[in-house]
Structure formats: structure tokens, C-alpha cells
Amino acid sequence: MSKSFRIGFIGTGWVGDHQMKHLTKLEGVEGIAAADLSDASLARFKAAWNPKYTFSDYRQMLREAKEMDAVSVCTPNGLHAEHSIAALEAGYHVLVEKPMAMNAKQAQQMLDAAKRAGKHLVVGFQHRFEPRTKFIYDQIVSGSFGNILYVRAQALRRRGIPNWGVFGRKDLQGGGPLIDIGVHIMETAHYMIGSPRPITATGNHWTFMGNQPSNIVSMWPKWDHATYTVEDFAAGMIRFEGGALLTIEASFVTHIEKDVWNIEVYGEKGGANWESSQVFTDHGGYMMNMTPGYLPKWDHFEYKMKHFVEVCRDGRENESSGEQGLMIQKMLDGVYASAEAGREVSIE
């Protein structure tokens, strides 16, 4: 039987619910405590998952819920650093949802706190755990593609400005689609090609619709345009040590045919399409489009939660570490900084 593992939650919104749904499938794991400023959210979480302790102040939870082994930070981006550092300093392992922080400076402070405390800091990047991600990663590691030249990562919504939460507030989120959904696809692409060190960034972003009212029929209408201070669309390019390039495109809203959620990899000897799990190469004198005869299936979010528990409880290697989160944060910072400067910038 697996050892018991008890988790406390800072933030009891949708993400906390989704995590608990998957944690209940794991043997010996319990959501023992929860903290949230919203009485309604806390009451709903308590009714759904029945944690032993509930608090309106997360600091009180860290002091009094001594049975916890770890804390999951499920709050808006602007609070990730504060909550994670406090939990680490109180002696708990931490899972922090993406993005790791508002910027690289905060991410480094979180990483330093984890090292001082001797605790694990795991970043919630679930798409690196998808079967199709592992398939393409394995092809790259095996040398099937040769040197990687270029990667194109896209997280594009035609009309998908969130009409709930604080996703349109730069002061609480750090940015818009680039840091919210672009971070997922950027991190997955970066992981697949071996996590090379980023050197420079260039990019731009534009706001042309989110900050004004709209009567266009769409799936997510009536967003709060009055408080909208983030970009609608961002595009950037990262140059890595070794010469490879990665481009990132992310939008809450832009004029395209349909939503896109994909990564394309181009290497000297082969390439791949993440969405279709296809590999493109030459074989026997012909250009070949290949798909695996079999790919295992699992729920990548459930895998993420299982990974977190096993890292902290069982000593498994941390495959989604604070160090990786920091590199991604530097890349995001670089694109935003380039947009402000109007030129390519150094990431370091």
C-alpha cells in the first residue's frame, strides 16, 4: 500500500477542483486542507471534496494544518510567487500551476526558496506528459531527426477571450494569451527538443479587440473589456544555444479560420507534427509520412498529478522542475521585453 500523502490547496477555483478530481484516483492521497478568500468558493470546494480543514487565510492554513505534506498553488499568476515561497518556507513541497510566476525574477526567488527549504518545487506543465509528446521527444532523442533547426508552436483562438476570472488584467496575470495558453505550447515544444538554453528573443504583441465592447456572436461573449489590459495576439521568436529557433504564436482573439493548438518540428533528417503524431522523413528513396502503429493512452492531467505525488512522496525524479519553469519564464519575459523595446533582446 502506498504511503499516505496529504495536500493543502491555496485557491479553490476550477483548477483546484480539476486537480482533486484526479488526485482522488490515487491511492493514499488526500486533499486535507483548503484556503481561499472567497467564502462561496471555499464552501463549494468543501461540499465537493470535504477537506478536514478550511481557512480564509492561507497563512493560517500553513501554520495550523500540520498534517500536510505538500501545497498546491491554484491562484492567479500574480500570487504564485508569494504563495509558493510561503509554503516552501513553512516546510511543504509545492505544486504551482503554470505559468510559474509573473516574471523570471519571481521564478528565481521561488527556486531559491525551494533550495533553502530542501523541498520539491514542481511546475504544472501537463502537456509535456502527453503520449504524443513522449513519442516525438523519443524520436528526437534517438537522433532520427538529426539536428533540430526550427520549431513552430501555436496556441491560437479565433475568439476566446475568457469572460470569467482575471485573465484580462495584466496586473494580476502578467500578460494575456502568451503567458496564459502560449506558455503551455512553448514549454511542450522546448521540452521536446531537449530544453536548450535560450539566448535571445524578439517579438511583438497587439491589442485591437479585447479592450472594447463587441457585438460579434462568439463562443465566449461579453468579456470585461473595461478592465482588459493584456494583448489579444502575440508572436515571438527565441534563438537557442546551438542555433535552433522557436517561434511562438498565441492569441485570445485573431482573424483566422479556426483555433490552432499545435507544434511543428523541423530537423535536418526529419520532422514532426504534434497534433497528428506524424513524422516526416526520407526512406528508401521516397519522402515518407509516418505514424506510429501504436501509441499508449493516458490522461496527461492525471499523469501530472501522479507525477507530483511520486516526486514528493516516493523520490521520483522531478520531470517538471523549477529550473525548467525558470527557463520558460525567461523566454516569456524576453518576448514581452522585445515588444516593448522594438528590437531583439538578450534573454540572460
Side-chain angles (χ1 to χ4, degrees):
M1 182 177 177
S2 300
K3 293 180 289 185
S4 62
F5 190 75
R6 300 181 178 93
I7 302 173
F9 290 83
I10 303 178
T12 56
W14 180 88
V15 174
D17 273 335
H18 202 55
Q19 288 190 5
M20 272 302 303
K21 182 179 75 172
H22 293 290
L23 286 169
T24 56
K25 302 174 186 177
L26 305 179
E27 185 179 0
V29 178
E30 181 183 359
I32 195 171
D36 202 299
L37 288 171
S38 168
D39 292 339
S41 181
L42 197 60
R44 182 195 47 73
F45 191 87
K46 182 175 177 62
W49 307 111
N50 194 32
K52 184 176 180 180
Y53 307 105
T54 56
F55 303 90
S56 59
D57 184 345
Y58 79 91
R59 298 175 188 84
Q60 185 180 3
M61 182 184 83
L62 296 178
R63 289 194 306 268
E64 297 183 10
K66 295 294 188 180
E67 298 158 63
M68 295 188 303
D69 299 293
V71 169
S72 180
V73 175
C74 303
T75 47
N77 302 349
L79 298 171
H80 283 185
E82 174 191 331
H83 293 161
S84 297
I85 291 170
L88 289 162
E89 290 179 342
Y92 303 107
H93 303 296
V94 167
L95 171 66
V96 59
E97 275 296 340
K98 63 79 197 169
M100 184 174 173
M102 292 275 274
N103 52 57
K105 181 179 180 180
Q106 289 184 352
Q108 183 66 62
Q109 291 169 346
M110 294 161 67
L111 193 56
D112 292 344
K115 290 178 179 178
R116 287 195 305 269
K119 295 296 178 180
H120 290 292
L121 174 61
V122 182
V123 186
F125 293 129
Q126 63 260 24
H127 294 286
R128 64 162 42 216
F129 296 126
E130 289 196 38
R132 57 184 173 173
T133 305
K134 175 172 171 47
F135 164 62
I136 296 174
Y137 173 85
D138 287 344
Q139 302 311 300
I140 293 172
V141 169
S142 74
S144 295
F145 296 174
N147 290 326
I148 300 302
L149 308 174
Y150 177 76
V151 186
R152 185 184 189 191
Q154 297 174 290
L156 299 171
R157 295 175 184 163
R158 179 171 181 171
R159 198 60 51 85
I161 299 174
N163 53 12
W164 70 94
V166 295
F167 294 97
R169 289 185 55 178
K170 188 175 181 179
D171 60 325
L172 296 179
Q173 291 292 102
L178 180 62
I179 201 170
D180 181 49
I181 55 177
V183 63
H184 269 310
I185 214 78
M186 174 190 277
E187 195 280 332
T188 304
H190 185 236
Y191 164 74
M192 284 197 303
I193 63 172
S195 303
R197 187 167 73 92
I199 304 298
T200 64
T202 186
N204 208 345
H205 56 70
W206 303 266
T207 302
F208 50 90
M209 192 177 298
N211 59 354
Q212 53 190 307
S214 173
N215 59 2
I216 303 299
V217 176
S218 65
M219 295 74 71
W220 296 352
K222 298 181 180 178
W223 62 86
D224 185 2
H225 68 277
T227 62
Y228 191 90
T229 53
V230 302
E231 77 276 7
D232 291 338
F233 174 72
M237 183 175 73
I238 308 297
R239 185 182 302 274
F240 295 109
E241 189 173 54
L245 299 178
L246 179 149
T247 58
I248 175 70
E249 302 167 15
S251 69
F252 281 159
V253 53
T254 196
H255 297 296
I256 51 177
E257 179 187 2
K258 59 182 179 180
D259 292 358
V260 182
W261 186 258
N262 196 25
I263 301 164
E264 294 177 325
V265 179
Y266 305 92
E268 291 178 332
K269 298 192 295 184
N273 183 292
W274 184 66
E275 182 181 33
S276 64
S277 300
Q278 282 188 295
V279 166
F280 312 108
T281 190
D282 300 334
H283 183 76
Y286 292 86
M287 294 182 289
M288 302 291 286
N289 297 357
M290 302 188 297
T291 55
Y294 171 76
L295 271 183
K297 295 181 180 180
W298 58 76
D299 185 298
H300 55 281
F301 203 99
E302 182 178 340
Y303 192 111
K304 176 179 84 168
M305 300 312 298
K306 183 173 183 286
H307 164 264
F308 169 60
V309 171
E310 291 179 351
V311 166
C312 302
R313 183 186 65 188
D314 306 329
R316 175 178 176 171
E317 179 186 357
N318 186 353
E319 298 174 39
S320 189
S321 67
E323 286 82 0
Q324 175 71 2
L326 176 60
M327 266 204 290
I328 298 302
Q329 204 73 54
K330 288 180 177 180
M331 291 157 63
L332 294 169
D333 286 3
V335 175
Y336 282 126
S338 173
E340 295 304 313
R343 58 175 172 79
E344 187 175 48
V345 300
S346 171
I347 285 182
E348 294 300 326

